[in-house]
Amino acid sequence: MTDVIKPSGDIGSASSVQQAIPDQVKDFIRTFYKHFLENNVYELHGCYENTFNKLTDKYYTKSAWPDPLTEVAPLVDNDQIFLVLYSEVYYRHIYAKLGPTLEHRTNSYNNYCNLFNLILNHEGGPVTFELPAKWLWDIVDEFIYQFNQFSVFRSKLINKKNLSEQDSAELSFLQQHVEIWSSYSVLNALYSLIGRSKIYEQLTAQRNNLPPSKISEIAGPYGSLTLYKNLGYFSIIGLLRIHTLLGDFTLALKTMEEIELSKKSNFLTRVPGAHFTTYYYAGFCYLMMHRYADAIKTFSHILLYITRIKNISKSGQYDAITKKSEQMYALLTILIGLCPTRIDDVLHNNLKEKFSEQLSKIVKGGEASLKTIEELFAFGSPKFISISLPSFDSPELNIDAIHLHSSVFMVTVKNTVYNNLLKTYLNLYSSMELQKLLNFLESDDTKINNLDELKEVLLAFKLTNTQIKWTETAAVKTATNGEDEEQLPGATSGLLNGESSNVYDFDITINDNLIQIIEMKVARKFSDWFIRNTSKNYFVQDAIRNDRIEETGKEKKDKKTKKSKK
């Protein structure tokens, strides 16, 4: 198997001013290496998640960690595998705390090339070392993050008008090495990890309840190992994120067809970063596909989960989760305005606290609401990436991916600016003349001045009132109390499943100059509820009656005992 991604030409080693390494840091690196050699995943997790962050706060808040090649190598017997893993953490710290140069970006890319080629193309077969699940997720997450950041960095450099001598040198280097952080290399790495681990086949086998021996046979020598299985699983989430950034929202959800999203999600909840990332990007895909009900349900679930989390460490991850939740609240504000839905009281209060003014403007509708929606979308959406290579010679021809997707979203939203106002009037009637509705709208100072324009607005209302909504059985019996529990999209099937449904509780048809308002709200079936609870009532009555009989029998027995004693 050839290299998954090929290292690019170096522009030099990562320059840093070498300083004496504190003894505490030396001891940590040696201990870190020792646990790595012993495959002690528990201790590795402690070193990676706790000790590293503590030492960073103590010694390296404004400087890089010791250089992997010149300073750390002598401490770990020049172990190339460990140095590749250490370098991954080393460059991630630079991205988080210091701000990377083009040199750092290139060398980090080369290090990821070496890491993935080591894991996927090791001469002796599967690698034998193990890493904590949290670290494996961070590798995939950081890989995509740095790819995203590089695309933004390159775009800004190309569009920069007054180039310095250094800028010109960097631009020339990028023109000569277009393979650095290319979309193809990033996607190839993720698909290769999925293929090696056979994670799709394993998830399918688990869904079909095949025995563990059969699943192990399907997984093969690579997929049977925890490291490959976890990397394959996280790479699926990585593909969800990548395809969303590239603007292919259908393919993004398609990659998740074998992963179950449910309130009892097992593996996802063990790694919070993966959990939040999955729901954010799945919800955003639903938003862009105009499946507002599913987007609301997805965002509501994860935001409610965040509010209930206790003891989250005050680390970079905590800050990232906080920022991501703010973005989801912004998108949820748009969704509630476009598709009025009752949400949990806790979420409703949080949303009003954060975006009460914006929600009021969106609900009010009209042209003024468009600017508010656009601002919230810009805040809540990810940083999109153009899949095509930018033009270095003619920057004006390059497409701004962020502006492009925002414009596409706003095209649909512009057709809904009068929906809430129309709903207010149409809800009052079962049939209504077009001229009468036009008179109402003219009194509200809308820009609708004649019947032809009104028909266009009503047609847009009818089209936007229809959306695809996830369909499998919406309720399942829980193991605890037998009550109905609403399921999330894709809880037991693909995220793309769905059928046409209405946003509002009614639909309209137009015959000549008359609007017919058709109620679409399905009457709630109370029979099953009454039957189920009647049975419970009988059960409780029988239990009470039996207790009374037992107590009465015990009292009579006690009386007989007392008489016999007398």
Side-chain angles (χ1 to χ4, degrees), residues 457-565:
V457 171
L458 288 171
L459 178 60
F461 175 86
K462 184 174 180 64
L463 291 175
T464 56
N465 185 32
T466 304
Q467 63 174 292
I468 302 298
K469 188 175 180 181
W470 187 75
T471 52
E472 202 167 353
T473 304
V476 293
K477 303 294 183 182
T478 61
T480 53
N481 55 16
E483 293 293 336
D484 290 342
E485 179 184 339
E486 188 177 21
Q487 282 193 288
L488 290 164
T492 56
S493 66
L495 295 175
L496 289 173
N497 285 356
E499 64 180 14
S500 181
S501 62
N502 288 332
V503 176
Y504 304 114
D505 295 335
F506 63 91
D507 198 2
I508 62 170
T509 58
I510 301 176
N511 297 317
D512 295 329
N513 289 318
L514 186 67
I515 309 170
Q516 296 287 345
I517 295 91
I518 306 167
E519 290 288 338
M520 303 296 293
K521 188 174 182 180
V522 179
R524 186 177 178 183
K525 295 182 179 180
F526 294 99
S527 56
D528 293 339
W529 186 90
F530 277 113
I531 291 172
R532 183 170 63 250
N533 285 278
T534 300
S535 299
K536 286 184 179 180
N537 184 35
Y538 284 140
F539 176 78
V540 172
Q541 289 181 7
D542 289 341
I544 294 173
R545 189 180 299 110
N546 291 335
D547 287 342
R548 287 178 176 173
I549 292 172
E550 290 178 2
E551 289 178 1
T552 304
K554 186 178 179 181
E555 290 176 357
K556 291 181 178 179
K557 187 176 180 180
D558 291 340
K559 289 180 179 180
K560 289 181 179 179
T561 304
K562 289 179 181 179
K563 289 181 178 179
S564 62
K565 286 182 179 180

Side-chain angles (χ1 to χ4, degrees), residues 311-520:
N311 301 322
I312 300 181
S313 59
K314 301 290 183 178
S315 61
Q317 185 187 40
Y318 175 83
D319 296 334
I321 291 172
T322 302
K323 180 181 178 182
K324 195 65 68 180
S325 65
E326 292 289 330
Q327 289 180 289
M328 286 189 280
Y329 272 115
L331 297 175
L332 188 60
T333 302
I334 297 175
L335 289 163
I336 296 298
L338 298 178
C339 178
T341 306
R342 182 177 177 84
I343 59 176
D344 187 271
D345 290 340
V346 174
L347 296 182
H348 183 69
N349 292 334
N350 289 342
L351 190 144
K352 287 182 64 177
E353 182 181 340
K354 299 173 187 294
F355 299 105
S356 176
E357 183 178 348
Q358 291 89 331
L359 181 59
S360 299
K361 291 180 180 178
I362 297 173
V363 171
K364 187 176 181 182
E367 298 290 337
S369 66
L370 293 178
K371 184 178 179 181
T372 302
I373 294 174
E374 195 167 7
E375 290 173 352
L376 290 173
F377 183 84
F379 173 74
S381 63
K383 294 180 179 178
F384 294 104
I385 301 171
S386 176
I387 194 169
S388 60
L389 189 68
S391 172
F392 290 88
D393 299 325
S394 304
E396 66 278 1
L397 299 179
N398 293 329
I399 298 174
D400 184 353
I402 297 176
H403 177 71
L404 172 65
H405 290 291
S406 176
S407 300
V408 170
F409 177 72
M410 292 306 296
V411 166
T412 303
V413 171
K414 286 177 182 177
N415 293 326
T416 67
V417 292
Y418 297 116
N419 279 13
N420 288 331
L421 190 59
L422 288 171
K423 181 189 174 187
T424 302
Y425 292 121
L426 295 175
N427 258 333
L428 302 174
Y429 298 86
S430 58
S431 62
M432 188 180 191
E433 293 182 356
L434 283 172
Q435 185 60 50
K436 186 174 183 179
L437 179 59
L438 180 62
N439 295 337
F440 284 144
L441 295 177
E442 285 178 343
S443 64
D444 282 305
D445 297 326
T446 64
K447 296 182 180 180
I448 304 172
N449 301 314
N450 54 61
L451 291 177
D452 290 335
E453 291 180 1
L454 177 58
K455 288 180 179 179
E456 292 178 5
V457 171
L458 288 171
L459 178 60
F461 175 86
K462 184 174 180 64
L463 291 175
T464 56
N465 185 32
T466 304
Q467 63 174 292
I468 302 298
K469 188 175 180 181
W470 187 75
T471 52
E472 202 167 353
T473 304
V476 293
K477 303 294 183 182
T478 61
T480 53
N481 55 16
E483 293 293 336
D484 290 342
E485 179 184 339
E486 188 177 21
Q487 282 193 288
L488 290 164
T492 56
S493 66
L495 295 175
L496 289 173
N497 285 356
E499 64 180 14
S500 181
S501 62
N502 288 332
V503 176
Y504 304 114
D505 295 335
F506 63 91
D507 198 2
I508 62 170
T509 58
I510 301 176
N511 297 317
D512 295 329
N513 289 318
L514 186 67
I515 309 170
Q516 296 287 345
I517 295 91
I518 306 167
E519 290 288 338
M520 303 296 293

Side-chain angles (χ1 to χ4, degrees), residues 9-16 67 91 95 100-110 150 153 166 170 173:
D10 255 339
I11 62 173
S13 60
S15 58
S16 61
D67 185 83
Y91 286 114
Y95 268 82
T101 62
L102 178 56
E103 184 179 350
H104 292 132
R105 296 176 193 273
T106 303
N107 291 341
S108 181
Y109 171 77
N110 290 337
F150 180 84
F153 165 79
Q166 182 182 352
E170 291 180 346
F173 177 82

